[in-house]
Amino acid sequence: MIAAIPGGRSLIGFLGHMKPSQKIQKTVNYTNFSSPIGVSGDIDPLSSGTNAFQQLGFGFIEIGPIVLNEPITQIEPKEDKNHILFSTQQEKVPLKLAIQKLTTLNIRVPIMVKIDSYVTKSELSLIVHHLTPFVDAFIVTSEQFTSYLDKNTILMERPFYASCFTNKMNNEVLETLTNMPNLAGIVIHAPRHTSEEFWHEAGNANEHLIENVKTIKEQYPELTVITSGGVETPDEGYALIHAGVDLLLLTEGYVNTGPGLPKRIHERILYEKTPREHKANWYFSFLFGLAILIGGFIALYFAITSIILPYDESFIGLTRDELLLVNPLILSFMSHDRMALAGTMISAGILYIQLARHGIRANLHWSKVAFHSAAIIGFIGILLFIGYGYFDYLHGLFWLILLPIYYFSFKEGKKVVGFPSSSHGQNDKAWQYGIYGQLMFVMLGFLLVIGGFVISTIGISKVFVSTDISFICMPPQMIENISQNLIPVIAHDRAGFGSALVSVGLLVLMISLWGFRQGEGWIWNTLAIGALPAFIAGIGTHIYIGYTSFIHLLPVYLLVILYLIGLVLSYPFLKGKTKGSYSSINELSL
């Protein structure tokens, strides 16, 4: 659904950050594959998710099985406790629907078409004739290949692959196929366990596939080999690649493990390529984060001392002492917004520093994207300061100081193009808990972004919520009677805090989405330490001024709960021992 809306595919690509590294691209039978990992037609026979799959790290997509006309009986897969059960009368795609999909979808990866094993020779010829303009290869059974594929009767403008199950792939079949002049390669299906009208992959599928692949490659090292199924972990995917597989299709394992499996296999492959360590320039990025950190401490100092500065007093028309005589709660309220802003800036500074020190320095492209996306949003947020008619000169001066630092940071970041790698290859308990911990932080990041937008919107519109008015004990009309310029000053603080919160939320979100890998302890440290100042300031300032409305603070309490649960669940995965990992891959080819 998301992929179908304008900009949806870009959103999926941004959130997943699953684009494969150029180091794992390959060319097979004159077709370029951005990744050797594809998705089987068994998972999506009707091509409903083709648009989305292209953004989830797959280098090619299989559709089918294709038939000439839609069968009367088609049974969808079901699941039991441990497996996905596919019917022996599984879903099939009529030719007309396949053409409709291929002509309407914006397809950017190679498409392989699997033709149903029961089609006749004439039907196969018709299917091939109509689909050839839209696809890159065809997959037929080994029986169809040896019986039907005669140059005189079947159009062969695309590569044809013969498929067979591991238990049927013997020397006789292999010799027959390799003697066929039109063979582009073979597809080996994982062994199946059949029970009544349903089947599922056998438990030792990966081992059987590896054994078959090694045997075939020993006899025919130049033969293109594709496997289908038998992969549920990065280690299993890498084992097949290491055994000599050219391309592999994910089936049941992709559903069981989750949509991150292709990316995890990519990182596992990259880890074994023995990358050369590459350090990128990161000093200006570090300096940018340090400047924000220092700015946060300066803002915190003013928030707990004078609260308002001389130019604030000049704009309002009242001194600090005069405001205290009118209503001391007004200054307390202003202090709470400014302390919250200061705490958020300190958190942002820590996050930027960590991204620069551990991410950009290690040539990690995702860390550069996270760093600069949040920074640009932060700069745009200065416009909110004047949204209610008041420009804070100190804020303006601060951004002017930051601007040249950021310029050089952005310039040095252009060479940060590396892809991460990981040695983690199992779906163990630490990984499973880590996934839930990651979910907590992703939710935390999203909620911080949403909260920042809401606070900014309130800051440039009605300024106060009901609990604010109850705390100040004055409606906005009375505040305007004190000074017509008082509300704009309050509004600019609120809008500025909201803008800073959006930036921090984006940092937490992107670090959580893209940085979770086993043994990456700096990610855990970044999230654990980076969020503390914002939470301490957010809750502490309310306690400090006596603004302790439960309803008002409830969103913060919920965020703290997500934060603590995320830290606990992700600790074994991020901080646990690992056999080693490379932080980055030098991608000079980009």
Side-chain angles (χ1 to χ4, degrees), residues 203-239:
N204 54 356
N206 187 257
E207 297 175 9
H208 280 287
L209 285 172
I210 292 173
E211 184 180 338
N212 273 255
V213 171
K214 288 182 176 179
T215 301
I216 293 169
K217 283 295 185 177
E218 285 176 2
Q219 299 180 46
Y220 306 95
E222 302 301 322
L223 181 64
T224 298
V225 178
I226 305 173
T227 59
S228 180
V231 175
E232 196 162 320
T233 69
D235 273 349
E236 290 178 341
Y238 172 73

Side-chain angles (χ1 to χ4, degrees), residues 156-430:
M156 300 198 66
E157 295 182 8
R158 297 288 183 267
F160 273 75
Y161 296 88
S163 67
C164 190
F165 290 95
T166 55
N167 59 338
K168 295 183 179 180
M169 184 60 71
N170 52 47
N171 290 334
E172 183 181 348
V173 171
L174 193 58
E175 185 177 355
T176 302
L177 289 173
T178 52
N179 286 330
M180 297 283 289
N182 304 322
L183 182 73
I186 60 173
V187 179
I188 310 174
H189 291 275
R192 296 177 176 179
H193 175 76
T194 303
S195 177
E196 297 178 351
E197 299 268 335
F198 291 89
W199 59 267
H200 63 78
E201 286 187 9
N204 54 356
N206 187 257
E207 297 175 9
H208 280 287
L209 285 172
I210 292 173
E211 184 180 338
N212 273 255
V213 171
K214 288 182 176 179
T215 301
I216 293 169
K217 283 295 185 177
E218 285 176 2
Q219 299 180 46
Y220 306 95
E222 302 301 322
L223 181 64
T224 298
V225 178
I226 305 173
T227 59
S228 180
V231 175
E232 196 162 320
T233 69
D235 273 349
E236 290 178 341
Y238 172 73
L240 284 171
I241 297 292
H242 183 67
V245 165
D246 297 283
L247 304 169
L248 63 88
L249 289 159
L250 300 182
T251 56
E252 180 181 337
Y254 179 66
V255 180
N256 293 335
T257 304
L261 183 57
K263 183 178 181 179
R264 294 173 65 204
I265 297 175
H266 296 160
E267 293 174 357
R268 184 71 180 85
I269 296 171
L270 287 173
Y271 178 82
E272 299 296 340
K273 285 184 175 290
T274 315
R276 178 171 60 87
E277 188 73 13
H278 174 70
K279 299 293 185 183
N281 291 330
W282 59 288
Y283 304 109
F284 282 103
S285 299
F286 176 86
L287 187 60
F288 180 82
L290 182 62
I292 292 179
L293 181 68
I294 294 172
F297 279 111
I298 294 173
L300 181 63
Y301 170 77
F302 287 123
I304 60 179
T305 54
S306 61
I307 302 176
I308 60 173
L309 299 174
Y311 62 84
D312 294 323
E313 294 177 332
S314 176
F315 182 78
I316 296 171
L318 295 171
T319 65
R320 180 178 183 276
D321 293 336
E322 288 171 337
L323 280 174
L324 284 172
L325 289 174
V326 173
N327 184 350
L329 294 176
I330 293 177
L331 275 180
S332 295
F333 183 78
M334 295 177 69
S335 173
H336 117 281
D337 267 351
R338 295 193 170 190
M339 286 179 68
L341 170 61
T344 305
M345 288 178 64
I346 293 172
S347 285
I350 294 172
L351 295 174
Y352 282 124
I353 287 172
Q354 285 288 91
L355 278 174
R357 183 183 174 205
H358 296 282
I360 293 175
R361 181 187 182 188
N363 193 38
L364 292 173
H365 177 263
W366 72 262
S367 63
K368 177 188 74 172
V369 175
F371 187 101
H372 293 295
S373 298
I376 291 171
I377 292 296
F379 275 110
I380 294 174
I382 195 173
L383 301 175
L384 296 176
F385 296 164
I386 57 177
Y388 220 89
Y390 178 61
F391 181 78
D392 190 318
Y393 295 103
L394 188 59
H395 282 152
L397 177 62
F398 180 62
W399 287 130
L400 283 176
I401 294 172
L402 278 181
L403 195 58
I405 299 174
Y406 178 72
Y407 169 78
F408 289 108
S409 168
F410 185 84
K411 191 174 181 180
E412 73 182 5
K414 289 184 177 180
K415 296 182 179 180
V416 179
V417 292
F419 283 75
S421 66
S422 175
S423 63
H424 183 248
Q426 297 298 320
N427 300 338
D428 50 22
K429 286 292 183 182

Side-chain angles (χ1 to χ4, degrees), residues 418-532:
F419 283 75
S421 66
S422 175
S423 63
H424 183 248
Q426 297 298 320
N427 300 338
D428 50 22
K429 286 292 183 182
W431 172 76
Q432 292 175 19
Y433 288 134
I435 289 295
Y436 287 109
Q438 182 183 26
L439 175 61
M440 296 299 107
F441 282 114
V442 168
M443 292 171 62
L444 176 63
F446 265 118
L447 291 174
L448 287 173
V449 171
I450 294 171
F453 275 116
V454 170
I455 292 170
S456 296
T457 302
I458 292 173
I460 60 175
S461 56
K462 62 181 183 178
V463 184
F464 302 101
V465 295
S466 59
T467 53
D468 297 335
I469 297 171
S470 298
F471 171 76
I472 299 173
C473 298
M474 274 187 177
Q477 295 79 7
M478 289 185 65
I479 297 175
E480 286 184 340
N481 290 334
I482 297 171
S483 170
Q484 291 186 347
N485 291 334
L486 184 54
I487 289 182
V489 175
I490 296 173
H492 106 280
D493 282 332
R494 181 145 288 193
F497 166 52
S499 170
L501 197 60
V502 171
S503 291
V504 168
L506 285 173
L507 287 171
V508 172
L509 176 62
M510 290 183 281
I511 289 172
S512 304
L513 284 171
W514 306 335
F516 265 63
R517 284 168 193 86
Q518 187 187 42
E520 296 284 359
W522 74 272
I523 295 291
W524 193 90
N525 295 338
T526 300
L527 295 171
I529 300 171
L532 277 180

Side-chain angles (χ1 to χ4, degrees), residues 68-131:
L68 191 59
N69 298 302
E70 185 172 355
I72 298 175
T73 303
Q74 297 194 84
I75 301 176
E76 295 182 359
K78 63 180 183 178
E79 61 176 327
D80 63 6
K81 295 180 181 179
N82 302 311
H83 297 283
I84 299 172
L85 301 179
F86 293 91
S87 171
T88 53
Q89 300 185 57
Q90 67 186 96
E91 297 169 289
K92 298 175 183 179
V93 188
L95 177 61
K96 184 177 179 180
L97 176 61
I99 294 174
Q100 178 187 345
K101 292 282 187 178
L102 292 170
T103 53
T104 55
L105 295 174
N106 183 13
I107 297 175
R108 304 171 187 174
V109 299
I111 298 293
M112 291 188 176
V113 170
K114 177 171 60 177
I115 298 178
D116 186 65
S117 59
Y118 292 103
V119 300
T120 64
K121 183 175 181 179
S122 59
E123 289 174 336
L124 187 145
S125 179
L126 191 61
I127 291 170
V128 169
H129 174 75
H130 282 89
L131 293 183

